[in-house]
Amino acid sequence: DAGVIQSPRHEVTEMGQEVTLRCKPISGHNSLFWYRQTMMRGLELLIYFNNNVPIDDSGMPEDRFSAKMPNASFSTLKIQPSEPRDSAVYFCASSSSGTTGELFFGEGSRLTVL
Amino acid sequence: KQEVTQIPAALSVPEGENLVLNCSFTDSAIYNLQWFRQDPGKGLTSLLLIQSSQREQTSGRLNASLDKSSGRSTLYIAASQPGDSATYLCAVYQGAQKLVFGQGTRLTINP
């Protein structure tokens, strides 16, 4: 299996621009998670989906952030408009709730907002 | 609110030593606990998953224990090697799927 695939791996953009991060979970996994990692706050859960339905978005920092999962093999995290404080590494992870729930992470998307 | 603490924040030891990384959590009503490894600029690699009914898990030179009643887990690394240098993260499952992470222990193994 190819694992969780994220794109882009690196994104540099200017304040105010729209940013879209993409994720392809492991085939057969029915749960998908978006995390953000910063030096100050560590890893924070932003939102997670079960069977393509958002279950908990309490970690989404504000309305500038939105996430979608139109089908079982694709999800996006969008930031519009972006701000310098959004600079972080964004991780996507997936799991199969039918087993032990073990979480598998992608390589992350490093976002820099100038 | 669940809080996960990892001590120490950083650890440097000579190659060949056995070592223990510590993780503590405030709410013992956890589902599972998972240890991860993160190399610089990389994603998280799952090392061991301990289900709530288990007390320990082993994989090669790694052994993780879980004591829910005291809110503690340890990761034991035997015969450390320079390739073990990385940040090790502990995470507890609140419910079946929501993970809460510690801040990690940055481990350096000196040749």
Side-chain angles (χ1 to χ4, degrees):
Chain A
D1 198 312
V4 177
I5 299 173
Q6 292 186 245
S7 66
R9 291 295 314 279
H10 302 274
E11 174 90 6
V12 180
T13 190
E14 293 187 346
M15 183 173 64
Q17 295 298 305
E18 178 178 294
V19 174
T20 299
L21 308 178
R22 298 173 177 79
C23 175
K24 175 179 168 54
I26 292 173
S27 178
H29 281 186
N30 60 343
S31 297
L32 183 140
F33 304 77
W34 283 100
Y35 283 86
R36 179 171 67 175
Q37 186 177 40
T38 61
M39 287 292 292
M40 291 298 295
R41 300 173 68 90
L43 271 158
E44 302 173 284
L45 176 65
L46 299 177
I47 184 171
Y48 78 92
F49 297 82
N50 274 355
N51 298 316
N52 313 339
V53 176
I55 301 301
D56 185 347
D57 65 353
S58 59
M60 297 286 262
E62 47 198 276
D63 292 345
R64 298 184 297 106
F65 286 70
S66 62
K68 294 182 179 179
M69 192 166 185
N71 57 61
S73 59
F74 183 67
S75 177
T76 59
L77 177 67
K78 185 175 293 186
I79 308 172
Q80 166 64 16
S82 58
E83 297 183 3
R85 58 193 170 117
D86 301 330
S87 297
V89 181
Y90 291 82
F91 287 103
C92 177
S94 70
S95 71
S96 173
S97 59
T99 59
T100 60
E102 187 174 3
L103 211 57
F104 295 88
F105 279 75
E107 291 284 287
S109 295
R110 181 175 296 275
L111 173 65
T112 302
V113 183
L114 303 174
Chain B
K1 179 185 174 186
Q2 177 75 271
E3 292 185 3
V4 181
T5 303
Q6 291 188 246
I7 296 173
L11 181 64
S12 180
V13 300
E15 180 179 2
E17 280 202 6
N18 303 324
L19 58 98
V20 175
L21 306 181
N22 296 294
C23 171
S24 61
F25 43 95
T26 54
D27 184 351
S28 62
I30 65 170
Y31 191 71
N32 295 333
L33 183 144
Q34 193 166 356
W35 282 92
F36 294 87
R37 167 186 174 140
Q38 186 175 28
D39 293 285
K42 300 290 187 179
L44 279 69
T45 301
S46 177
L47 296 174
L48 290 164
L49 173 75
I50 309 177
Q51 298 184 49
S52 60
S53 59
Q54 298 174 322
R55 299 219 23 121
E56 66 177 341
Q57 279 285 344
T58 298
S59 176
R61 294 182 295 108
L62 304 180
N63 175 275
S65 68
L66 173 62
D67 184 345
K68 286 177 60 178
S69 61
S70 65
R72 294 179 186 276
S73 176
T74 61
L75 179 66
Y76 174 82
I77 302 176
S80 59
Q81 303 171 357
D84 295 330
S85 298
T87 296
Y88 290 79
L89 293 147
C90 164
V92 300
Y93 284 79
Q94 289 293 131
Q97 295 182 300
K98 192 169 181 178
L99 267 179
V100 178
F101 281 86
Q103 288 282 45
T105 293
R106 189 172 66 254
L107 177 64
T108 302
I109 307 298
N110 301 305

